[in-house]
Amino acid sequence: MYKHSISSSRLGNYAVNHVLMVLLGLALAAGIEPTAGTTTTTTGGGVSAEQKADRVVALPGQPAVSFRQYSGYVNVNKSHGRELFYWFFEATKLPHKKPLLLWLNGGPGCSSIGYGAMEELGPFLSQKGQPELKFNNNTWNKAANLLFVESPVGVGFSYTNTSADIKQLGDKITALDSYIFLVNWFKRFPQYKHHDFYISGESYAGHYVPQLAEFILDKNKKLGKSHDSYINLKGILIGNAVLDDETDQKGLIDYAWHHAVISDSLYDQIRAECNFTQKNQSEGCNHAVDKYFDVYKIIDMYSLYTPNCVHLNTSSSRRSSAISYGPRLLSTFNHGRRSVSAGYDPCDSDYTEAYLNKPDVQKALHANVTKIPYAWTHCSDNITFWNDAPMSILPIIRKLIDARFRVWVYSGDTDGRIPVTSTRYSLRKLGLKITRDWSPWYTDKHQVGGWTVEYKGLMFVTVRGAGHQVPSLKPKQSLQMLQHFLAGKALPPAPY
């Protein structure tokens, strides 16, 4: 999920941001070891007491499965009482031999558990009626041990006991807390410490994933492989990703015009009034872009050719007004949206929200243990601004490529929010050498699954007919893509 607003100026709360950057520098200098008070105790057989306590035996309405699952809280700042909520699924087969994959949704301020785990790629998908969960035959834990975390604090079940923390959120603190979460999570689950580790996500996780990978890269260089906090990161996989403000915005408008979403006159007006290379935009530009977003009140921006949920005043159908702040013209906040599940129901998010607010479900998940004074929602209404966000993530992508990480970028080609056009513009801006140009890749029965461009150090994959949340509309193809990514193999270039 990628939330948006209309803003004529770059985010301004520089005083708070400056303090945050100073705190971040002090934390980095200190080494960011696991939070004090998180010493792991073990029970018989070497399993930590915390890990044993987090075991989820079964959820209400859950289909029977043979793999284990765990959920609970990991502290990332003891003095502030910051706790991130996670949900972890062991691989369906041979978990001790499979890699570990972390999935992050974006927003910023949206839940990886509500979207990623329960509506896209987790083993249990929400549905209407009884039972309330169904098994996902294309779950990504068929290929990897699968970890979801609600980040930053204030999202979903994650919380802080220091209310001022919510006003300091931004990219930097999110990466910092996510890193501390991982270090402490590996303390709780030491059996996965030496597994190959990958980070994946979609939308604003185009910021989260590369930034966390860079954080791990820099820390690993300082710590060395023998250090207890070394993380065995191998690569990243990001989809319909926010990468670069200029190209994201240019591609957003061009895609809408090319896909018959906006008129010639509005397209020409935006092109005349807006300069996407600039931080600040004119009133004329903002007015034109407002008219552009009006179109998406009647069709789904995130999946152009699928129906909207018709329920009124629900999590799937409501769209709150834009909030005029943020670091970019078409910025980071839009709380209302709907999703599409593997079985295709545009009202899936309603079922998820109802399910995760049930007391017996929260008890089974070890969630909401402090009785948070608000209901669980997909995207947090408490996060009302964002302190820092770079204009471009491309320099970090280059750094990860130079460090020889596996880097794949994919794009569902019916997404109007972070469209394939934006991603193609962004990748072109990297200036990488193309080693294999625009080529089809195939699923079974001689069907084209999409197209690939292989760059030196990066693989770009399109997924034909998928919207913003690729695993929802194209679950089989998304699992196939993941399997090839983890194996470091190109997708099939011919029918098989």
Side-chain angles (χ1 to χ4, degrees), residues 6 40 96 105 141 157-158 194 199 206 243 245 326 464 467:
I6 312 302
T40 300
H96 61 288
N105 279 87
N141 72 323
F157 293 124
S158 295
H194 299 292
I199 313 173
L243 294 174
D245 284 5
R464 192 163 67 98

Side-chain angles (χ1 to χ4, degrees), residues 397 401 407 409 427 430 432 453-460:
I397 297 293
I401 291 171
V407 178
V409 178
L427 295 182
L430 276 170
L432 300 172
V453 179
E454 187 172 348
Y455 297 91
K456 186 176 182 180
L458 183 147
M459 179 70 78
F460 173 54

Side-chain angles (χ1 to χ4, degrees), residues 121-418:
L121 54 109
F124 308 128
L125 299 178
S126 57
Q127 65 178 358
K128 185 178 182 179
Q130 297 292 334
E132 296 170 293
L133 298 178
K134 59 185 174 182
F135 183 71
N136 177 10
N137 289 320
N138 296 286
T139 174
W140 282 20
N141 72 323
K142 287 187 173 182
N145 298 286
L146 194 54
L147 176 62
F148 300 89
V149 60
E150 293 189 304
S151 175
V153 292
V155 174
F157 293 124
S158 295
Y159 68 90
T160 176
N161 291 329
T162 306
S163 58
D165 286 348
I166 302 299
K167 299 298 183 182
Q168 296 181 351
L169 294 177
D171 282 16
K172 291 184 178 68
I173 197 67
T174 300
L176 171 64
D177 280 0
S178 296
Y179 176 78
I180 298 173
F181 166 85
L182 285 172
V183 171
N184 288 335
W185 189 88
F186 280 119
K187 289 282 186 180
R188 191 173 301 182
F189 290 85
Q191 67 267 43
Y192 292 101
K193 176 174 169 47
H194 299 292
H195 285 226
D196 287 352
F197 177 60
Y198 297 90
I199 313 173
S200 57
E202 68 191 12
S203 195
Y204 198 78
H207 279 220
Y208 291 165
V209 172
Q211 289 169 333
L212 177 56
E214 180 188 36
F215 207 117
I216 293 171
L217 171 64
D218 292 344
K219 288 296 297 181
N220 280 352
K221 286 180 179 179
K222 294 178 181 180
L223 297 173
K225 288 187 177 181
S226 61
H227 197 280
D228 190 50
S229 296
Y230 184 91
I231 296 174
N232 192 27
L233 178 64
K234 297 297 183 181
I236 66 169
L237 172 68
I238 49 177
N240 292 88
V242 179
L243 294 174
D244 180 86
D245 284 5
E246 178 192 355
T247 49
D248 286 348
Q249 292 167 175
K250 173 178 167 54
L252 188 77
I253 303 304
D254 287 354
Y255 182 90
W257 183 77
H258 284 290
H259 285 76
V261 173
I262 60 175
S263 67
D264 292 359
S265 60
L266 180 56
Y267 178 63
D268 291 341
Q269 182 183 0
I270 292 173
R271 292 183 67 190
E273 294 284 352
C274 302
N275 183 347
F276 297 132
T277 65
Q278 296 180 349
K279 297 178 182 179
N280 301 327
Q281 298 296 329
S282 67
E283 289 186 12
C285 173
N286 287 337
H287 176 69
V289 174
D290 283 341
K291 290 166 63 178
Y292 161 84
F293 277 114
D294 282 344
V295 178
Y296 290 112
K297 295 176 181 178
I298 57 174
I299 64 173
D300 188 353
M301 188 181 204
Y302 297 89
S303 182
L304 290 187
Y305 305 116
T306 52
N308 284 314
C309 177
V310 297
H311 298 167
L312 298 178
N313 299 319
T314 67
S315 61
S316 295
S317 61
R318 68 172 178 262
R319 290 185 180 273
S320 61
S321 59
I323 301 170
S324 295
Y325 60 84
R328 53 183 57 77
L329 171 68
L330 310 179
S331 187
T332 54
F333 292 86
N334 178 27
H335 295 280
R337 60 105 44 229
R338 67 115 194 100
S339 75
V340 185
S341 77
Y344 185 57
D345 186 332
C347 300
D348 261 358
S349 292
D350 294 339
Y351 316 144
T352 301
E353 187 163 319
Y355 184 80
L356 289 178
N357 278 298
K358 292 177 62 176
D360 57 342
V361 171
Q362 294 181 2
K363 182 178 180 180
L365 284 172
H366 319 119
N368 198 14
V369 293
T370 59
K371 303 303 178 185
I372 299 169
Y374 48 82
W376 183 96
T377 58
H378 284 78
C379 297
S380 173
D381 291 327
N382 295 319
I383 299 174
T384 54
F385 68 95
W386 200 247
N387 272 301
D388 61 278
M391 297 288 288
S392 180
I393 296 296
L394 297 180
I396 299 178
I397 297 293
R398 289 192 187 96
K399 181 176 178 179
L400 298 177
I401 291 171
D402 291 343
R404 305 183 70 83
F405 285 120
R406 187 175 305 153
V407 178
W408 281 34
V409 178
Y410 67 90
S411 183
D413 63 12
T414 65
D415 174 28
R417 187 62 192 94
I418 311 294

